[in-house]
Amino acid sequence: MIEGPRLPWLDATIVGITPITHRVKSFRLAVTFDRPAVAGQHVEIRLTAPDGYRAQRSYSIASAPSRDGTIELMVEGLPKGEVSGFFDGVAEVGDTLELRGPIGGAFVWRPEDGGPLLLVGGGSGVVPLLAMLRHRAAAAPHIPALLIYSVRAADEVLVQDELVRRAETEPGFDLMLNLTGDGGRRIDAALIGEALERLGAPRHTFICGANPFVGAASDLLVEAGLDPRTIRTERFGG
Amino acid sequence: MSTRGFTGRRPPETTRVRLPPGQSLTEDFPVLQIGPNPRIDLDTWRFTLRAGSRPLKSWSWAEFGALPRTRWSGDIHCVTQWSKFDTAWEGVSVDDLLADAGVDAPTAFALAEGYDDYTTNVPFADLTDGRAMVATHYDGAPITSDHGGPARLLVPHLYFWKSAKWLKGLRFTQKDEGGFWEMRGYHMYGDPWREQRFTGD
């Protein structure tokens, strides 16, 4: 048997809210985990109504693992979303909610895992990859990394300024921003080929996004010759 | 303590009684897996029962297709907090596999093994007496690769990470050996009604 302490529910207080795009907001939460986080992990959020009814959802952590006692989440305000709707329309700085984590031991990257590191994100699937990029810059800037970031429209790109600045100022980090809407293209073999040429053979690949995107990207990468065992995927939506 | 300003959208009572704690109903069928879909050729596909490293019986796709068929319909629950109701599966029960192999009760535990090298542990008692099958069909059609086809384990009374996709065999083990997720902080048993998501739950 594997023994261990139960992953506890913790109180987390919202200490900052920043709009990222017209639909996505960043939430900084003050919370102290009882175990170290790894880039790529997620948390569970639990909201409780006055009558005790609860709703529970998972969100990827956007911030690099740190000891400053905060994490950053990015939440898209979906009109029908029970929990995302709360984040979008109700949550304010000073509110406290319940959270447990950090969770996940497969879609994670540690500096000692090495590189080159290929990150492939579709839409808000870039969030856990952002945690890896931020961690790489802080802890292992010598490791080459390339982010393919595929988004429908320019106004949906999350933290574009940060990504462009990192690509311009961080040696060894390369950004391929791909817009799919309005005459753009979906990721294809040519784009994957270019990424592999620019980065070199990746030691680890992480793909995150909606299901069809992740399926297409992982098939393309396996067809391009990558060892499937070096590719990790995380998907959301049906 | 309640969350300021949160009222929630309660599902109807008929839905709520079927949802284990912390779960929400989905109409989609989300796909979760650790890596790319493995390429599986039915001409070389095999399913093998082992006791430790010793093979007990192995079936080709054609031989597997000749085994008695089992159907199950009901609700499934994923540890990522979605549940899906009234899913319909068809395949070969583990009971029928054991009978065809002429094996009774090899050990108290088993590891399900996938073509993608994924593993997950399930007690023997949870695989037998009609509680589990190796499913080949979902909703009347062959299971797609995204959902673990050509054959996946179905143990619907446990969280769905136990229902290993792209199944290539069951290995009976003397001890309860954790699989891929169980070695990474997930619960050894995974009963959704007791909300056994993570170690210690």
Side-chain angles (χ1 to χ4, degrees):
Chain A
M1 278 297 288
I2 295 166
E3 301 294 342
R6 188 174 196 275
L7 193 58
W9 286 100
L10 306 167
D11 280 341
T13 303
I14 300 175
V15 295
I17 304 178
T18 314
I20 298 284
T21 67
H22 58 288
R23 289 223 303 259
V24 177
K25 287 181 189 169
S26 153
F27 293 82
R28 189 156 284 277
L29 298 164
V31 62
T32 307
F33 292 134
D34 69 350
R35 60 202 78 189
V38 187
Q41 288 185 305
H42 64 276
V43 293
E44 286 184 352
I45 296 283
R46 183 165 81 177
L47 307 180
T48 306
D51 66 355
Y53 168 78
R54 282 170 167 163
Q56 203 166 308
R57 299 287 188 281
S58 299
Y59 291 99
S60 292
I61 302 172
S63 47
S66 83
R67 291 180 192 159
D68 73 352
T70 72
I71 59 167
E72 182 187 17
L73 306 180
M74 291 183 186
V75 183
E76 185 172 356
L78 304 166
K80 285 186 183 168
E82 187 178 28
V83 173
S84 63
F86 166 85
F87 273 106
D88 191 47
V90 178
E92 291 174 2
V93 169
D95 281 345
T96 298
L97 39 85
E98 285 183 296
L99 167 161
R100 70 173 182 162
I103 297 163
F107 198 85
V108 291
W109 179 79
R110 297 171 177 85
E112 57 265 37
D113 296 335
L117 187 58
L118 177 60
L119 308 175
V120 186
S124 53
V126 78
V127 172
L129 309 179
L130 192 58
M132 294 179 189
L133 279 179
R134 288 169 165 178
H135 195 40
R136 171 203 165 272
H142 58 282
I143 291 176
L146 184 147
L147 171 66
I148 302 174
Y149 182 13
S150 199
V151 194
R152 257 187 313 252
D155 64 355
E156 294 177 18
V157 178
L158 304 185
V159 295
Q160 181 160 10
D161 291 350
E162 175 185 336
L163 290 172
V164 169
R165 176 180 54 76
R166 288 187 185 282
E168 285 171 357
T169 60
E170 292 175 6
F173 171 55
D174 200 356
L175 174 66
M176 289 175 69
L177 188 58
N178 180 55
L179 299 181
T180 60
D182 257 352
R185 64 173 188 186
R186 294 190 177 280
I187 59 163
D188 55 21
L191 190 140
I192 293 291
E194 189 194 332
L196 294 176
E197 200 174 299
R198 279 160 68 164
L199 179 67
R203 184 165 182 181
H204 300 288
T205 298
F206 294 91
I207 311 172
C208 185
N211 185 43
F213 174 82
V214 173
S218 46
D219 285 349
L220 286 167
L221 286 164
V222 172
E223 279 158 25
L226 263 61
D227 179 347
R229 289 169 301 184
T230 65
I231 302 174
R232 287 288 158 89
T233 59
E234 191 142 280
R235 305 165 184 242
F236 50 79
Chain B
M1 196 191 72
S2 66
T3 315
R4 185 197 64 81
F6 177 70
T7 48
R9 299 195 190 141
R10 286 155 195 71
E13 186 60 22
T14 48
T15 299
R16 275 162 83 180
V17 296
R18 290 168 71 177
L19 283 177
Q23 296 292 108
S24 309
L25 181 61
T26 182
E27 302 296 329
D28 301 328
F29 196 162
V31 174
L32 291 115
Q33 58 200 51
I34 54 176
N37 297 6
R39 306 286 154 97
I40 299 171
D41 181 355
L42 289 182
D43 291 335
T44 53
W45 181 92
R46 292 201 78 80
F47 181 81
T48 307
L49 293 181
R50 294 174 202 277
S53 57
R54 183 169 56 91
L56 297 171
K57 172 103 183 180
S58 182
W59 295 267
S60 68
W61 184 250
E63 291 161 350
F64 197 84
L67 294 169
R69 307 289 292 172
T70 294
R71 288 201 175 100
W72 180 87
S73 288
D75 306 342
I76 58 173
H77 311 289
C78 176
V79 73
T80 63
Q81 298 160 349
W82 55 265
S83 293
K84 184 172 177 62
F85 289 170
D86 302 316
T87 63
W89 303 86
E90 187 188 317
V92 179
S93 72
V94 176
D95 301 301
D96 285 331
L97 288 168
L98 290 166
D100 195 62
V103 175
D104 193 15
T107 61
F109 302 101
L111 262 182
E113 300 175 317
Y115 274 96
D116 59 340
D117 294 334
Y118 177 81
T119 55
T120 185
N121 60 319
V122 185
F124 182 78
D126 289 84
L127 292 173
T128 47
D129 288 335
R131 303 183 84 192
M133 73 164 86
V134 178
T136 58
H137 286 65
Y138 171 74
D139 218 4
I143 300 175
T144 60
S145 175
D146 270 358
H147 290 295
R152 74 176 296 164
L153 187 62
L154 179 72
V155 196
H157 64 285
L158 300 179
Y159 279 126
F160 221 50
W161 91 77
K162 297 288 184 179
S163 294
K165 290 156 73 158
W166 311 299
L167 197 65
K168 68 175 179 189
L170 292 172
R171 186 154 63 85
F172 299 107
T173 58
Q174 297 293 336
K175 290 187 294 186
D176 194 8
E177 296 175 21
F180 183 87
W181 282 118
E182 294 82 10
M183 298 302 282
R184 289 168 174 78
Y186 283 72
H187 199 274
M188 283 294 273
Y189 185 63
D191 179 353
W193 293 98
R194 288 186 276 165
E195 209 174 357
Q196 292 172 334
R197 299 180 194 275
F198 309 113
T199 306
D201 275 356

